[in-house]
């Protein structure tokens, strides 16, 4: 992939306080999400409260692929 084309997801290391991570795990489990998805949701909510507009996240296509003719 060329360097000027962003990948679908940006990976980076994140260090968290263990108590904060446990709280994220509990919240994620209660909402049937992964911790990663919970962190992303919370960051999007925080940015929205600050008035930072983001494009809607690209959702992967689910289900069967369309039939070829």
């Amino acid at each position: 992939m060329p360097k000027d084309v962003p990948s679908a997801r940006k990976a980076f290391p994140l260090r968290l306080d263990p108590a904060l991570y446990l709280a994220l795990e509990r919240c994620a489990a209660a909402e049937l999400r992964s911790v990663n998805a919970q962190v992303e949701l919370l960051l999007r909510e925080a940015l929205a409260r600050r008035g930072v507009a983001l494009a809607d996240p690209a959702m992967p296509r689910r289900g069967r692929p369309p039939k070829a003719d």
Side-chain angles (χ1 to χ4, degrees):
M1 180 181 309
K3 290 187 182 225
D4 59 341
V5 177
S7 65
R9 305 298 258 179
K10 175 67 176 167
F12 68 98
L14 177 64
R15 291 169 195 66
L16 296 174
D17 178 86
L20 178 58
Y21 187 82
L22 289 173
L24 283 168
E25 273 186 323
R26 286 191 307 272
C27 288
E31 297 181 15
L32 302 175
R33 289 190 179 94
S34 67
V35 172
N36 189 73
Q38 188 71 18
V39 168
E40 188 170 342
L41 175 80
L42 292 171
L43 287 171
R44 286 180 177 279
E45 287 176 352
L47 288 171
R49 281 194 305 271
R50 289 179 173 236
V52 177
L54 291 174
D56 289 334
M59 300 301 289
R61 293 187 61 154
R62 300 189 69 162
R64 291 184 183 198
K67 287 186 177 182
D69 291 331

